[in-house]
Amino acid sequence: MFAKRLRKARLALGISQRELGRRIGLSEDVVSSRVTRYERGSSEPDFATADRLAKELGVPLAYLLADSDALAEVILAVASMPPAEQRKIASELKEKAKR
């Protein structure tokens, strides 16, 4: 799931794998190959690198790590709301989960 969402977020931003690697501070000799491996799922970034990827792509890290596509979409939607609205949604979801 991480690999698929990473690629989707990068393409939505309209940047190359090489550019993404540069933006998160990877050394020039590995920028493209490292991001390629992350997007193929053959390698996973450490937590700090995953966090830098998410920040550079403008998505919450939780979006990249979510267990399901539905949860990932909820995370993206809620992240784009103002904090007061996020708290309201969180409260409503907690109530629904209790039922």
Side-chain angles (χ1 to χ4, degrees):
M1 297 303 238
F2 179 91
K4 179 180 83 169
R5 290 194 198 106
L6 175 64
R7 178 175 167 75
K8 182 178 177 181
R10 178 183 60 78
L11 292 174
L13 195 58
I15 61 173
S16 68
Q17 292 173 332
R18 179 173 295 283
E19 179 62 22
L20 178 57
R22 284 184 186 134
R23 288 184 183 190
I24 65 163
L26 296 177
S27 63
E28 192 59 38
D29 57 328
V30 300
V31 289
S32 185
S33 64
R34 182 85 48 91
V35 176
T36 297
R37 289 196 313 262
Y38 295 157
E39 288 187 1
R40 288 185 178 160
S42 60
S43 179
E44 292 185 5
D46 60 30
F47 186 81
T49 302
D51 189 48
R52 286 194 311 272
L53 286 164
K55 285 180 175 145
E56 190 58 45
L57 294 168
V59 298
L61 179 56
Y63 165 77
L64 295 175
L65 300 173
D67 291 336
S68 71
D69 287 337
L71 181 56
E73 293 304 317
V74 168
I75 290 166
L76 270 185
V78 173
S80 68
M81 297 174 179
E85 188 68 20
Q86 289 177 359
R87 287 188 294 277
K88 179 181 173 192
I89 295 293
S91 178
E92 291 171 2
L93 289 172
K94 285 179 189 176
E95 284 302 313
K96 284 187 179 202
K98 288 179 184 178
R99 295 182 207 159

